[in-house]
């Protein structure tokens, strides 16, 4: 039972959980726990959770669910064997069928759909570098799904026959102010380390009904094409490489590792910088673009780099930081149109995600995407976005409600959740620590411009960095973990950040707060202001 007091929420246990109405909060830092390791090695490619499980390569693996519309779902998987070598010959996707059988009873599949198959290659025409061509990647759209219903399905090619074992998933509620997913898990910057296994195991224990990954999935580009141990600084370890290589079998390993989750729970992704993966021909993002089906066309987007979807009473906009985000660009026009169509009487909650954070007090990636903030922040603010999730920084940070670096009760709550466990280790340095303020030229995006900003007002006026934790930073901690969002009603949602070590230390969470919307104050005020 939850009892609403003036601001904080009182639980039946007697515990009090703060709400954003109690803010703005005095900035708080919990320093890195020195009893923990800052990182761990990547799992070897022959690790039991990464190995190919089926001797028969015609059988589906790397099964992945993603939302399409409130009544339809994408089912994706891979068959056949990927090839690594100097000369690689692609498999022929026209020789196989892509089928999904599904229904509401075990062993009975009255509904059957067919889809498309494709492949991709990652090519490096340089001496000593190896090429890659994928297995056959299948995408099938299943529709006619009823809300909040358990479905059983098999996928594959029945003509071989090579169908998967039976798997189940549960659909989400239809868009409605009175219906929300049970739990939504947020995680970013995962990779494939021992820390990653702890993160995903902990996340699965929380039994989410939807997962959102805010970019940087596999860290395949931390490997050479010849394999071997990942390097946190590729150019430092391999200074003579003519191009930043990427060891594509890590994508296949990641797909197998994630399958126990992604085959049962719809998982939505957005690209990060580790998905760029440039080829010699200038092609980028090939792995990301071909492996994942997202509701791009369904949401009026013409690209997988940005799209939107509904999940019960929430509307999500997934923003691309590594494509054009300027006022004059296609993404901005799409976002403006998408937000204009949102009916807050049906989907009261409006959530944005992107890979890099706009608000960040860590030294790592400090002000790296200030250009994007300057181009797009006002549009999110005008439309009353409630929460913005990002990754990129390998630590946790929750902001006070903020707009244009000013505390604002109608600004979004920005949350950095890029602490999934990757090989680059957890970030521990803050830009406000003595000697830790980066120079304006230190953090430059791989794609896009740089707009370093000296503050023009407040305690940091005239400076590039604060000399203490910024007022807009409510809480920060250097630790690996993930977050869970539980929407209670049209105005209250419980946010819980769970650290990996909480599993072992019998602690319930690292951060917890009720995010409270004030539509009567904010949306009406913003409408009259603009």
């Amino acid at each position: 039972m939850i009892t609403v007091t003036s601001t904080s929420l009182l639980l039946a246990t007697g515990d009090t959980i703060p709400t954003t109405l109690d803010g703005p909060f005095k900035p708080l830092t919990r320093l890195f726990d020195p009893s923990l390791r800052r990182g761990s090695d990547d799992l070897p490619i022959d690790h039991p959770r990464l190995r190919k499980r089926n001797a028969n390569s015609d059988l589906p693996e790397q099964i992945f669910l993603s939302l399409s519309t409130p009544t339809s779902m994408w089912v994706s998987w891979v068959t056949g064997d990927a090839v690594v070598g100097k000369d690689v010959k692609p498999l022929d996707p026209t020789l196989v069928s892509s089928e999904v059988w599904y229904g509401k009873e075990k062993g009975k599949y009255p509904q059957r759909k067919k889809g498309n198959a494709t492949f991709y290659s990652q090519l490096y025409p340089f001496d000593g570098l190896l090429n890659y061509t994928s297995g056959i990647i299948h995408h099938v759209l299943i529709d006619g799904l009823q809300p909040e219903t358990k479905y059983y399905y098999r996928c594959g090619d029945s003509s071989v026959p090579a169908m998967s074992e039976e798997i189940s998933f549960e659909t989400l509620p239809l868009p409605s102010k009175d219906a929300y997913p049970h739990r939504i898990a947020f995680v970013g910057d995962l990779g494939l380390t021992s820390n990653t296994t702890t993160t995903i195991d902990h996340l699965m224990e929380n039994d989410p009904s939807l997962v959102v990954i805010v970019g940087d999935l596999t860290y395949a580009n931390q490997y050479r094409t010849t394999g071997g141990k990942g390097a946190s600084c590729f150019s430092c370890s391999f200074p003579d490489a003519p191009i930043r290589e990427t060891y594509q079998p890590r994508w296949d390993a990641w797909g197998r590792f994630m399958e126990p989750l992604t085959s049962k729970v719809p998982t939505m992704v957005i690209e990060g910088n580790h998905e760029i993966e440039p080829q010699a021909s200038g092609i980028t993002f090939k792995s990301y673009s071909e492996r994942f089906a997202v509701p791009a066309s369904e949401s009026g987007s013409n690209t997988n780099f940005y799209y939107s979807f509904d999940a019960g009473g929430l509307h999500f906009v997934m923003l691309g930081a590594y494509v054009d985000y300027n006022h004059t660009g296609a993404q901005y026009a799409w976002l403006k149109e998408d937000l204009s169509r949102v009916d807050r009487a049906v989907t009261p909650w409006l959530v944005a995600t992107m890979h890099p954070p706009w608000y960040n007090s860590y030294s790592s990636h400090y002000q790296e995407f200030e250009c994007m903030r300057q181009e797009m922040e006002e549009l999110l603010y005008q439309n009353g976005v409630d929460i913005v999730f990002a990754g990129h920084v390998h630590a946790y940070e929750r902001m006070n409600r903020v707009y244009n670096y000013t505390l604002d009760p109608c600004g979004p709550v920005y949350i950095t959740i890029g602490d999934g466990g990757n090989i680059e280790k957890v970030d521990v340095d803050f830009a406000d620590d003595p000697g830790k303020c980066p120079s304006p030229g230190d953090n430059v995006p791989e794609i896009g411009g740089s707009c370093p900003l000296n503050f023009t007002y407040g305690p940091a006026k005239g400076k590039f960095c604060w000399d203490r934790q910024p007022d807009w930073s409510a809480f920060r901690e250097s630790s690996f973990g993930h977050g869970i969002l539980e929407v209670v009603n049209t105005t209250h949602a419980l946010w819980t950040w769970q650290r990996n070590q909480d599993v072992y230390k019998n602690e319930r969470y690292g951060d917890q707060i009720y995010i409270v919307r004030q539509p009567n104050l904010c949306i009406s005020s913003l409408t009259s202001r603009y």
Side-chain angles (χ1 to χ4, degrees), residues 427-469:
D427 288 319
V428 298
D429 293 332
F430 304 112
D432 48 270
D433 284 340
K436 298 298 183 180
C437 177
S439 71
D442 284 347
N443 294 320
V444 178
E446 284 101 323
I447 297 176
S450 178
C451 304
L453 174 75
N454 281 356
F455 296 99
T456 57
Y457 52 85
K461 183 177 180 180
K463 300 176 182 177
F464 184 56
C465 297
W466 288 59
D467 56 12
R468 58 176 172 80
Q469 185 173 353

Side-chain angles (χ1 to χ4, degrees), residues 157-210:
D157 184 348
S158 62
S159 67
V160 175
M163 298 295 289
S164 70
E165 295 181 354
E166 183 179 82
I167 314 169
S168 66
F169 66 86
E170 292 189 19
T171 54
L172 300 182
L174 292 176
S176 166
K177 67 180 181 62
D178 299 316
Y180 300 93
H182 174 55
R183 292 190 187 98
I184 305 173
F186 290 84
V187 68
D189 302 75
L190 273 167
L192 271 176
T193 70
S194 297
N195 282 316
T196 312
T197 65
T198 305
T199 300
I200 292 301
D201 290 348
H202 194 184
L203 185 153
M204 291 178 68
E205 288 176 6
N206 281 318
D207 190 28
S209 48
L210 174 66

Side-chain angles (χ1 to χ4, degrees), residues 214 270 317 319-321 352-358 372 380 388-391 414:
V214 295
I270 196 68
V317 290
L319 302 179
T353 76
M354 65 193 78
H355 180 58
W358 292 346
M372 187 181 184
L380 299 191
V388 180
F389 290 98
Y414 289 83

Side-chain angles (χ1 to χ4, degrees), residues 20-58:
T20 51
L21 298 181
D22 297 318
F25 297 93
K26 182 179 179 181
L28 175 65
T29 297
R30 185 182 293 135
L31 295 175
F32 178 71
D33 184 345
S35 69
L36 303 173
R37 293 183 299 167
R38 282 189 57 196
S40 60
D41 289 340
D42 268 336
L43 299 177
I45 202 72
D46 60 352
H47 188 278
R49 293 176 69 165
L50 276 55
R51 286 199 301 256
K52 194 175 182 71
R53 298 180 183 88
N54 301 316
N56 180 359
S57 63
D58 292 325

Side-chain angles (χ1 to χ4, degrees), residues 24 381 400-404 406-412 522 526 529:
Y381 181 74
N400 284 309
R401 289 192 178 277
V402 61
Y403 170 62
N404 196 25
T406 302
L407 297 177
D408 188 318
C410 296
C522 293
L526 293 173
R529 193 181 309 177

